[in-house]
Amino acid sequence: MNPTVIWDDDPGGNVEHIAVNGLTPDEVDAVLLDPYLPTQTNRSTGRPCKFG
């Protein structure tokens, strides 16, 4: 199964959230969907995360 990123471009959605940090959905997709970047576990929440 291939992962999917669901983008919410409504006010207050995740598109607006990443834009505050100067990122576009395409840039975030490039990191999240890159099979060569390992998925790690967030130390405080235990949820999966990636860095890139």
Side-chain angles (χ1 to χ4, degrees):
M1 176 190 309
N2 291 329
T4 301
V5 180
I6 299 172
W7 293 108
D8 176 4
D9 59 358
D10 290 333
N14 55 9
V15 173
E16 185 177 289
H17 176 77
I18 64 167
V20 169
N21 295 293
L23 299 169
T24 67
D26 286 340
E27 292 169 321
V28 174
D29 281 343
V31 172
L32 294 178
L33 302 176
D34 185 337
Y36 298 103
L37 289 175
T39 300
Q40 300 178 10
T41 301
N42 182 291
R43 289 180 286 186
S44 62
T45 66
R47 298 173 80 179
C49 63
K50 282 197 174 189
F51 295 94

